Amino acid sequence: MAKTLRLLLADQLTRGIASLKDLDVAHDVVLLAEVMEEASYVGHHKQKLVFLFAAMRAFAEELRGEGVTVDHVALDDADNAGSLGGEVRRALQRHGCDRLTLTEPGEWRVLEMMQDWREELDVDVVIREDDRFLCSRARFEAWAHGRKGLRMEFFYREMRKESGLLMDGEAPEGGQWNYDPDNRKSLPKGVTPPARVRFEPDAAVRAVMALVEARFSRNFGTLDHYGWGWTRAQALEALDAFVAGALPRFGDYQDAMKAGEPFLFHGVVSPYLNAGLLTAREVCDAAVAAYETGAAPLNAVEGFVRQILGWREYVRGVYWLKMPEYRETNALGADRKLPDLYWTAETDLNCLAHCVGDTRDHAYAHHIQRLMVLGNFALLAGVRPREVQDWFLLVYADAYEWVELPNVQGMALFADGGMLASKPYAASGAYIDRMSDYCKTCRYDVKAKAGENACPFNYLYWDFLIRNEEALGRNHRLAMPYRNLSRMTAERLDEIRADAARFLDGLPATYEG
Ligand SMILES: Cc1cc2nc3c(=O)[nH]c(=O)nc-3n(C[C@H](O)[C@H](O)[C@H](O)COP(=O)(O)OP(=O)(O)OC[C@H]3O[C@@H](n4cnc5c(N)ncnc54)[C@H](O)[C@@H]3O)c2cc1C
Ligand code: SF4
């Protein structure tokens, strides 16, 4: 009787995953290995490490509860080989397995490594498609074939039709595909977001915390505010709480930012989704069910479904379509080192201090903080894409290259030259002022355009357009700002350049990642 070793990666904690589909409980062995190579290829936020190790351990226990033979290798096991390949080799020998079955990983780097296993290990290696996504890689390739620009909105409409989510026959529910124009409100005084569901670490999680503090003491972030769940039951509880408490106003305030309120009306479900504790379909179904029972309005539910059925599936498609070249793109020739403030949160730019601080404290920042503050600043300052990628890959509990990279390269930095976004998401202080309360207590004046006290986003915005005129000047979506730029006097242009140079030259950038 063939005996199969079934490898589960840290982000494959889904009972229905492809590699477990024909699991033979009587003969097969499931391997979950915590290995230093994966835990340290970037210096992950401490909360991400705790979340994943704790979730792996809990998942192993759940499988054991079903009678499955599970081999869980802890990071501090004396014989731990330190790499996935090493642990697979050891487990094959230990259990006398003649076949290795796994589900394709979410990262190019890991897939390449696994493809080599076919030669390196003397067993049959079966790599199955990851069917937890609503759009397969082949389906995305077919959609993208022959298109010049890969616009998410058109992809999303096809996904709506194929999934049947929020459809009224052939037409979109409510008559519109997209309710974004209703979804750009700032947070009015008196509107209080619901409290985030926090899960108090139990003894097993506290043991993981101690391990992470001991082995990864220099990593970014703090465990002080740790509140992630580590089981599927907890992930479902977090999802239910979001649907009941925050979803109804998710749409209205999805772009809003508020000091001291990192979660606002967001789902805070991405770590669970990306690790496999929740599936994309069930999260979308839960939101749609709230619409159908009248518990949440269409603008909120459509906005939320679009993030998952649209953006999440789309960026994954782009990642696999464009790797490995995608990592290296730098269409705007950005060459500045990442400023230290991304590591320290020590800056008098209040918006950045809050967004980096939220990231450090919670391994979380919501989309607009990531895109319009942290990403926007890196774009305007001209920070090297590879350094920005590395930062975004290590600071969030939900970060995996397949989702981080297109968001950084395509959305935040325009490093792919416009394949993903039709124009850079560059914005001056006025946008941040409109969508947040950060500017009210900032030492800079968001209305001032020039000089020491002016909001740096203001002159950096124009300096960015001046610097990149050759690459961006013919972009029709930037016609208006370039027209405004062309009307500026030579003295004003010099003033912008001088303010930007003074500010950027004064930014410390000494950290080595
Ligand atoms: C520069 C940058 C880097 C990012 N890096 C990551 C990352 O490493 N991992 C990650 O999961 N998301 C990433 N995102 C997307 C998004 O910011 C997060 O998914 C979201 O903030 C997670 O919080 P939430 O669960 O509260 O999301 P909600 O706002 O409640 O949205 C619901 C879900 O939609 C999905 N989603 C929303 N926007 C996106 C998007 N642009 N791309 C893919 N999925 C999306 C997520 O699964 C999210 O959980 C990044 C965005 C930017 C601009
Ligand atoms: S004034 Fe400028 S730097 Fe200060 S919080 Fe507002 S946008 Fe940020």
Side-chain angles (χ1 to χ4, degrees):
M1 185 77 200
K3 190 171 182 183
T4 303
L5 181 69
R6 297 174 186 267
L7 172 66
L8 289 181
L9 303 178
D11 59 351
Q12 297 183 339
L13 308 180
T14 316
R15 186 61 184 86
I17 197 160
S19 46
L20 294 185
K21 281 208 168 120
D22 49 355
L23 176 74
D24 178 346
V25 174
H27 294 94
D28 296 346
V29 178
V30 174
L31 173 67
L32 284 132
E34 301 167 4
V35 294
M36 204 57 177
E37 188 181 62
E38 294 305 312
S40 62
Y41 82 98
V42 292
H44 305 282
H45 193 296
K46 288 176 191 163
Q47 292 196 22
K48 181 181 181 190
L49 291 171
V50 171
F51 165 63
L52 286 179
F53 289 159
M56 285 169 87
R57 292 175 185 202
F59 195 70
E61 278 311 310
E62 282 173 27
L63 289 177
R64 282 188 188 119
E66 285 181 39
V68 179
T69 305
V70 181
D71 189 351
H72 172 265
V73 182
L75 190 82
D76 52 355
D77 279 0
D79 298 330
N80 191 319
S83 67
L84 274 178
E87 278 310 311
V88 166
R89 188 184 293 278
R90 281 196 333 125
L92 286 168
Q93 284 163 1
R94 210 163 38 238
H95 302 289
C97 296
D98 41 23
R99 172 192 282 231
L100 172 66
T101 295
L102 44 94
T103 307
E104 64 188 359
E107 287 193 12
W108 179 272
R109 173 188 64 87
V110 182
L111 183 60
E112 275 209 310
M113 179 173 79
M114 287 175 168
Q115 279 161 346
D116 290 344
W117 289 353
R118 291 202 162 109
E119 279 195 13
E120 289 169 8
L121 306 167
D122 192 22
V123 290
D124 192 11
V125 178
V126 179
I127 303 181
R128 292 185 178 161
E129 185 180 340
D130 190 347
D131 58 9
R132 294 175 299 173
F133 290 87
L134 293 153
C135 178
S136 70
R137 285 167 56 183
R139 173 70 187 93
F140 190 86
E141 271 170 40
W143 174 78
H145 185 74
R147 286 175 197 262
K148 266 203 195 135
L150 302 179
R151 297 290 167 255
M152 199 291 288
E153 187 62 30
F154 300 118
F155 167 76
Y156 168 59
R157 291 179 190 182
E158 289 200 14
M159 291 301 292
R160 286 272 294 276
K161 288 183 202 154
E162 281 176 24
S163 66
L165 284 163
L166 291 178
M167 292 300 295
D168 180 6
E170 287 298 297
E173 183 69 31
Q176 275 171 243
W177 290 106
N178 183 321
Y179 291 85
D180 248 2
D182 299 343
N183 289 356
R184 297 191 180 120
K185 300 186 180 76
S186 59
L187 199 69
K189 272 205 181 89
V191 174
T192 315
R196 173 202 184 192
V197 178
R198 282 191 79 245
F199 298 93
E200 203 50 50
D202 64 6
V205 177
R206 285 199 301 276
V208 177
M209 288 171 132
L211 174 75
V212 167
E213 285 291 16
R215 301 275 174 119
F216 303 93
S217 60
R218 293 170 59 82
N219 283 32
F220 179 79
T222 166
L223 294 179
D224 295 349
H225 309 275
Y226 190 87
W228 301 107
W230 55 94
T231 64
R232 173 162 162 78
Q234 290 168 328
L236 285 168
E237 193 182 327
L239 173 64
D240 287 350
F242 160 70
V243 170
L247 177 63
R249 283 184 287 183
F250 171 87
D252 289 350
Y253 304 124
Q254 71 179 36
D255 288 2
M257 297 177 279
K258 186 171 165 60
E261 294 282 2
F263 308 111
L264 290 171
F265 294 92
H266 288 269
V268 201
V269 289
S270 47
Y272 305 130
L273 268 168
N274 295 352
L277 296 180
L278 295 174
T279 67
R281 180 75 204 206
E282 75 189 341
V283 173
C284 291
D285 284 344
V288 171
Y291 167 67
E292 284 169 349
T293 59
L298 186 53
N299 72 310
V301 173
E302 187 283 313
F304 185 73
V305 166
R306 177 154 27 93
Q307 306 310 313
I308 296 172
L309 180 64
W311 281 110
R312 186 170 185 271
E313 297 290 329
Y314 167 82
V315 298
R316 184 209 182 224
V318 167
Y319 176 78
W320 285 108
L321 192 68
K322 298 293 173 185
M323 278 298 279
E325 298 79 17
Y326 202 59
R327 276 190 90 197
E328 311 303 329
T329 56
N330 186 2
L332 302 180
D335 198 28
R336 181 172 297 278
K337 245 180 98 37
L338 187 76
D340 292 350
L341 66 89
Y342 280 84
W343 302 112
T344 62
E346 285 164 18
T347 169
D348 52 10
L349 283 82
N350 201 32
C351 50
L352 282 167
H354 276 285
C355 293
V356 178
D358 290 345
T359 302
R360 176 199 57 212
D361 292 347
H362 304 290
Y364 179 88
H366 73 64
H367 187 66
I368 296 301
Q369 293 178 299
R370 296 188 205 195
L371 183 63
M372 299 309 294
V373 178
L374 298 161
N376 183 24
F377 186 76
L379 170 75
L380 299 185
V383 181
R384 285 176 208 145
R386 286 301 299 270
E387 294 202 25
V388 184
Q389 288 166 28
D390 284 352
W391 187 82
F392 274 100
L393 187 58
L394 74 80
V395 299
Y396 293 114
D398 60 22
Y400 299 87
E401 195 180 69
W402 65 265
V403 52
E404 164 270 326
L405 193 67
N407 272 297
V408 169
Q409 293 292 90
M411 287 194 88
L413 300 185
F414 206 71
D416 64 3
M419 195 201 71
L420 199 145
S422 54
K423 75 176 176 70
Y425 283 88
S428 68
Y431 175 86
I432 296 172
D433 190 30
R434 193 163 60 247
M435 298 315 303
S436 79
D437 62 354
Y438 297 141
C439 304
K440 290 192 176 67
T441 49
C442 185
R443 94 125 180 96
Y444 294 103
D445 178 356
V446 73
K447 299 264 181 320
K449 306 284 177 233
E452 298 266 353
N453 287 327
C455 166
F457 280 87
N458 291 344
Y459 46 76
L460 289 179
Y461 172 77
W462 291 113
D463 184 61
F464 166 78
L465 291 179
I466 296 169
R467 269 193 344 258
N468 293 296
E469 185 155 9
E470 205 177 308
L472 302 175
R474 281 184 299 281
N475 182 317
H476 70 278
R477 296 206 56 206
L478 293 174
M480 173 102 96
Y482 273 109
R483 228 181 352 263
N484 291 339
L485 196 65
S486 71
R487 293 194 194 110
M488 290 183 190
T489 63
E491 290 74 28
R492 174 70 185 121
L493 295 179
D494 284 346
E495 185 180 45
I496 290 167
R497 287 194 198 96
D499 273 333
R502 171 187 45 75
F503 175 80
L504 291 173
D505 291 348
L507 268 186
T510 58
Y511 278 63
E512 286 310 324

